[in-house]
Amino acid sequence: MSKKMKFWTAGALGVMMAGLIGMNAYALEDKDIVGTWYVNSMSLDGENTFHPGMMKMEMTFNFTEDGKGEISELMEGQEPGVDAMEWKIDGDKVLITADDQTVEGEYSDGTLSVEMDGLSVVLSQEKEEYVPYVPGKPVAEPKLEDFNGDWTSTLIDLYGMQMPATGEIAGVEMKMSITDGNATLVLLEEGNETTTELKGVMEENALIFNAETQKEETETDSENYHLFSTDTMRFYLLEDGKLCFTTADSLPMEEETETEAPATEESEDGEDDFGGFDFTIKVYLDRVME
């Protein structure tokens, strides 16, 4: 190697080392934290993440210059909850104290990651709007074999809220293997695993399954928990490629409207007993690709 090349290499290494030393010496400053931060991502199990908007929820952290602030939580249809907090910087972390508990917020590339009471949240100073999944229209004239394949649930629309159909969020996971109207359904609900053999028939554009045999394995104390019955199940093949399960007593998908809510009775004081609550349950499944 020539002297000129050695000199250039040594200089480049020197610049790189100086940069690394500078990175290691970097510490957060108050100006990096002060302001309003929005929770744009949440997880209950450390794996399945979702936008709080899926739960019709909004959470913000407001850091003020005096080392204080507020944590605000808003659920649709409820009064907002506000908790006072205190905060301080410790190296590259932010220590947040609220309700006599202190948690660490880890700063990286303009985001804060916070673990609190088993809930993992990621915050940023830009609010990300939640865009709900809009299901495709049911296929008009599907053939029985169009339903064939292995399917796994990815999303559940539960009482008007969308959430991942895995992990601890909805507590429901569905796996299906369908062959020419015969199916094996493995349903996991709150730790209870039920395997059901199903026999299906086409009714207009829906595949209606009826249970033939069932085996249940209980892993928790909630052995009587069932979100929906597997006796009779209705499935639609959607134009976007998903499979949609809906309860057997629900309206056909073509007759549903986005704004219509089920009728409810009024109590003596004139209030709606259920507040116009949406009791519709749908599970969306994706085809498992080999």
Side-chain angles (χ1 to χ4, degrees):
M1 182 183 293
S2 67
K3 290 183 178 180
K4 186 175 181 180
M5 181 62 72
K6 288 180 180 179
F7 178 80
W8 182 89
T9 303
L13 288 173
V15 171
M16 291 174 62
M17 290 301 296
L20 289 173
I21 293 172
M23 288 176 62
N24 292 333
Y26 176 77
L28 283 176
E29 298 180 14
D30 287 0
K31 65 180 182 180
D32 297 322
I33 302 301
V34 170
T36 300
W37 293 71
Y38 301 91
V39 175
N40 292 318
S41 174
M42 307 176 72
S43 174
L44 286 176
D45 56 12
E47 296 179 0
N48 299 284
T49 61
F50 61 97
H51 191 287
M54 294 184 82
M55 308 285 289
K56 298 188 176 181
M57 171 184 176
E58 182 177 306
M59 181 181 289
T60 59
F61 287 61
N62 184 29
F63 297 88
T64 55
E65 294 180 351
D66 57 1
K68 300 183 184 300
E70 292 180 340
I71 302 175
S72 301
E73 183 177 316
L74 177 63
M75 293 286 292
E76 185 175 284
Q78 299 182 15
E79 292 294 325
V82 180
D83 292 320
M85 72 173 181
E86 296 182 355
W87 64 277
K88 65 179 181 180
I89 290 176
D90 183 13
D92 62 348
K93 299 184 184 300
V94 182
L95 303 183
I96 304 169
T97 302
D99 292 332
D100 298 324
Q101 293 186 346
T102 300
V103 297
E104 289 185 351
E106 186 170 342
Y107 181 89
S108 176
D109 295 328
T111 64
L112 276 175
S113 300
V114 181
E115 299 277 344
M116 51 184 185
D117 295 330
L119 179 67
S120 303
V121 299
V122 179
L123 306 94
S124 65
Q125 290 187 291
E126 291 187 10
K127 182 178 180 180
E128 296 178 6
E129 296 295 337
Y130 169 64
V131 180
Y133 164 67
V134 178
K137 294 181 179 180
V139 175
E141 297 180 357
K143 296 182 177 63
L144 191 62
E145 57 267 26
D146 293 338
F147 292 83
N148 288 354
D150 294 326
W151 301 84
T152 184
S153 60
T154 54
L155 182 72
I156 181 169
D157 194 313
L158 182 64
Y159 309 142
M161 296 185 295
Q162 292 184 354
M163 60 196 77
T166 55
E168 301 177 10
I169 311 302
V172 175
E173 189 171 354
M174 183 183 291
K175 295 182 183 297
M176 292 191 71
S177 180
I178 305 175
T179 305
D180 298 333
N182 297 300
T184 299
L185 167 69
V186 178
L187 183 65
L188 183 66
E189 295 182 278
E190 296 291 336
N192 298 327
E193 183 177 300
T194 304
T195 301
T196 307
E197 299 298 327
L198 304 166
K199 183 70 175 179
V201 294
M202 294 295 303
E203 291 187 8
E204 296 182 353
N205 65 334
L207 179 54
I208 309 297
F209 281 113
N210 292 286
E212 292 195 321
T213 60
Q214 189 176 87
K215 177 183 178 183
E216 183 170 348
E217 296 180 4
T218 302
E219 298 180 2
T220 70
D221 295 332
S222 57
E223 56 183 317
N224 295 322
Y225 175 86
H226 291 288
L227 182 62
F228 40 72
S229 171
T230 58
D231 291 340
T232 302
M233 309 181 78
R234 177 186 291 165
F235 287 84
Y236 292 92
L237 190 64
L238 305 184
E239 291 180 350
D240 60 10
K242 291 184 181 292
L243 188 65
C244 175
F245 159 78
T246 184
T247 50
D249 57 353
S250 64
L251 288 172
M253 290 189 71
E254 297 86 346
E255 298 180 18
E256 295 179 356
T257 63
E258 296 182 1
T259 57
E260 184 178 5
T264 57
E265 298 179 357
E266 289 189 354
S267 59
E268 294 180 358
D269 59 5
E271 291 294 330
D272 189 344
D273 284 345
F274 301 108
F277 203 73
D278 182 2
F279 284 93
T280 304
I281 301 174
K282 291 186 177 67
V283 181
Y284 296 97
L285 301 93
D286 286 353
R287 194 187 298 271
V288 178
M289 307 302 293
E290 296 182 358

